[in-house]
Amino acid sequence: MLEYLESLRLVDHHCHGVLGEDVGRTAFEEALTEAETAGPPGVSMFDTQVGFALRRWCPPVLGLDAHAEPGEYLARRAELGAAEVNRRFLSAAGLDALCVDTGYTPEAILGPPALGRLAGAEAHEIVRLEPVAERAAADGVEAGRFAGEVRSRLHAAFAAGAAGAKSIAAYRAGLELSGARPAEGEVAAAAGRLMLAAERTGGPPRVCDEVLHRFLVWCAVDAGLPVQFHVGYGDADADLRRGDPLLLIELLRAMDPVPAMLLHNYPFHRHAGYLAQVLPNVYVDAGLATHNLGHRSPALIAELLELAPFGKVLYSSDAFGLAELYHLGALLFRRGLAGFLAGGVEDGAWTARDAERVAGLVASGNARRVYGLE
Amino acid sequence: MLEYLESLRLVDHHCHGVLGEDVGRTAFEEALTEAETAGPPGVSMFDTQVGFALRRWCPPVLGLDAHAEPGEYLARRAELGAAEVNRRFLSAAGLDALCVDTGYTPEAILGPPALGRLAGAEAHEIVRLEPVAERAAADGVEAGRFAGEVRSRLHAAFAAGAAGAKSIAAYRAGLELSGARPAEGEVAAAAGRLMLAAERTGGPPRVCDEVLHRFLVWCAVDAGLPVQFHVGYGDADADLRRGDPLLLIELLRAMDPVPAMLLHNYPFHRHAGYLAQVLPNVYVDAGLATHNLGHRSPALIAELLELAPFGKVLYSSDAFGLAELYHLGALLFRRGLAGFLAGGVEDGAWTARDAERVAGLVASGNARRVYGLE
Amino acid sequence: MLEYLESLRLVDHHCHGVLGEDVGRTAFEEALTEAETAGPPGVSMFDTQVGFALRRWCPPVLGLDAHAEPGEYLARRAELGAAEVNRRFLSAAGLDALCVDTGYTPEAILGPPALGRLAGAEAHEIVRLEPVAERAAADGVEAGRFAGEVRSRLHAAFAAGAAGAKSIAAYRAGLELSGARPAEGEVAAAAGRLMLAAERTGGPPRVCDEVLHRFLVWCAVDAGLPVQFHVGYGDADADLRRGDPLLLIELLRAMDPVPAMLLHNYPFHRHAGYLAQVLPNVYVDAGLATHNLGHRSPALIAELLELAPFGKVLYSSDAFGLAELYHLGALLFRRGLAGFLAGGVEDGAWTARDAERVAGLVASGNARRVYGLE
């Protein structure tokens, strides 16, 4: 079953750009997990499930023995240089297509076309919703014209070939969004508050308002594009309390039949699996958590597949920055899913033929169908 | 250990009636899981854990090979007809007694006596509380006399030999019910609101009010009957946010020593296990989720048994409609519990004798003791 | 790996005192779990994971065969007497140091020095915060001087060699504490309310106020002492709804870089692991739950170690009263961690050398570093 999964190229339906430059040890450790820092004195982010998984699987791609020590590994990485390292890991990931969230792009991050070339895969763009509204506010669009202007900017972005949209409400106002389409007056009032707050703080506008998140989701829904939602696990800014996908049920219901793609989901992945079963338009993945859980990722994959129909589960890496993460995500996903499916075949719970069919759905078939990729 | 569990007849302390008529493929897929529909184009509810479990275990009961394709299976099912299919699966379940929630009964659903005959088991009734209040409101009982009238109707229903009562608060106002017994005036006010709302919408009265749910539970408590609570997993109407059993702690405490039976519980089964340990009158099961998790149900059973005392855990199928679900629930429960107990014996964690004793408690002993079945 | 872990002496960074007197069967069953009572008729607390684990591992320490029946076990225990039983189990635990919460001490409970002698280990004190405030209120300190008086009493207690402080906010107002340091006026107002409430009820003052819990935590933070927080699993008083560690995120953030030690955590241990990864000053354990889950404790340990960096995980028993619990906690922890680490070595996920290094960190290294024990 593992061989079969290794023969399948994956669609990574949610990732970010890769760093185009070399990084030192501290920056590497900071980029490895969702921690804000490389840890207090005495703690190394290499001493984590993802750190151990990296040392197990990545050194051989760079010509070292498995389980290389961090110092040796980083020295070899520096020696090869970012371009070669990126090429090796992106190619090792075995991808057919990537959907790239371009909403957060520090300077040294490569965009979808470069990422696609490195991976030998088609690269599609996912439009992050909130920054479009924030740029409109920064451009001084007046409150009364805000809804129309944002709608037209988004439709232009979608028309440029986007595969989907993404909401980061979980990072801001939280996932408890009502299902109702906000009235124009409500959006105008919220836009006014947004600009007033920016003026007061002197910083750039920052969308953190139930009405605006919801308005933005409806813009994507009206365009018929699948909407990705950050759910659960993320960096410390995420405030996990507000990231439970159960909070989103009203909006998920209201946006049917437009697909809602619940990303990451850990530690609420069983909640997400429930939603994928009971609501026809809900799809789920275990991105980010898969590589962060390392040797424990098979448990996560098995739990996600408890209630979620096999036609509703997708692969994503949620990789950002470090090329290793695209490879680790894909490798651990293939191994975890293969173990899950092979275990069932061994126990006589399902046939090898059904197992291979499910592998095909989750590896790429579901993503191709939902995003309309050919 | 599996042989031992197969030799034990079960008490299914919470199920519903079985469909007395044949069903087509769409209706079958709709009835298989808790989804509202058979899924969007490209998704089949047969491609789920419960679908794979059904294809593994049910075709042999109908004379087909395990893992039959859905089309072949449904053709054979139609050929045999509902009466024969029902007889075979209910009999295969190996039940001694059933407690049947009669609160939701579309026309073609068979009642407790017919179900008992099919299963070769005693059938007891569980009185669902909310419909009794809704019928009283529909009958135009005035608000000031509502409490007394509902109380007397319920006591009549209980006196007709009910084994217990059931609250579906989790589907309506949610499980955050206070522990206080509501005053007559509060009930009258809530009844007035109930009837006003029905008048306004023109539909039948629908109890969805913290006071009324609570009042109904207290009617059962006063009668000394075990009260079943829907908890966690259910169809999309359930709003899982309000279905965490921790929300119910005040009422659970207040109703002691009357037994509170927490049903289903997934994905909050660890919360339920905690309550079963710390509160003397709380009991738990993993109905509905057991067959829906299919090959993963052993993990659920093991998690439920982390904190819950073995004298507080019961078997239920929560089967409704499809005869296969009574069989799958019982079969997966026996296999999951057997695996759990045998694993402990193998590791030397407990003796075979203790394992058999626990099997007997969970299979039927706890249910017989709590419901007072002989 | 198990041999290696058995060779390591543990630091138990959170426990309570042991009972110095003999106990009868009812009191023993009541002390075995977090239940309020020994259970309703027909239910025995020996029929639990912790009861089975006790019968597996404890009888041999008292010279009986494993799996002794409860009656036989308790007779042997009574025959040996509390002093000998305590000596045997505390010694079998293999501890190097204990941090003892002295905040709840019924008369027959032995204090840190006696506990340390029994265990052959250094014993450090953990100052429980709320009782210090309650004693000040009981002493009639007036509201306006309350903050200063409590601060000075706490600093005296800390100066007497305490290793840390502990908050039981989860048992009272809940973990949703703001991050802000309360103003003196707020504390005075809260102290006034505390004393008024005590006067009204005629009972002793009982801190159950978001402002006071927070004020007390800040007193410890200002002293630079690690602060332990009760989280999740505990007795029925705990109201688990308010014990999710995600509720505490603002205060955890605000108190950085002072270490916050999240205790127990079950069933929110994955939430706790997340916090340990993303916040630099957060540390976690699985005390109390480890022995209560018995044969299932390896699953808990593996789940805790999904996101938590290995440099952020500590051992604790949370044992209270029964000497068996110090031994069971240590034994199940060693076996669970050994199984986790050995499984990874066997699968090639990490090296034996890394596994031993992680074992050393979790067994004692992390605790020594965070508490500054030499």
Side-chain angles (χ1 to χ4, degrees), chain B residues 253 277 306 348 354 357, chain C residues 47 55-56 233 236 266 303:
Chain B
R253 231 186 250 286
Q277 181 183 94
E306 283 172 353
D354 277 319
R357 194 169 52 82
Chain C
D47 286 341
R55 288 175 51 212
R56 163 67 187 91
Y233 184 37
Y266 182 93
E303 287 177 10

Side-chain angles (χ1 to χ4, degrees), chain B residues 288-308:
Chain B
L288 184 60
T290 300
H291 63 260
N292 271 283
L293 265 62
H295 191 47
R296 277 288 297 176
S297 52
L300 164 64
I301 290 167
E303 288 178 10
L304 182 68
L305 290 166
E306 283 172 353
L307 285 192

Side-chain angles (χ1 to χ4, degrees), chain C residues 61-81:
Chain C
V61 179
L62 304 190
L64 298 177
D65 288 341
H67 309 299
E69 293 293 332
E72 185 193 359
Y73 179 79
L74 293 172
R76 174 65 179 158
R77 197 184 199 277
E79 185 184 37
L80 289 169

Side-chain angles (χ1 to χ4, degrees), chain A residues 346-362:
Chain A
E346 205 171 301
D347 295 344
W350 45 71
T351 63
R353 199 177 123 191
D354 277 319
E356 292 191 357
R357 192 167 55 81
V358 169
L361 287 172
V362 179

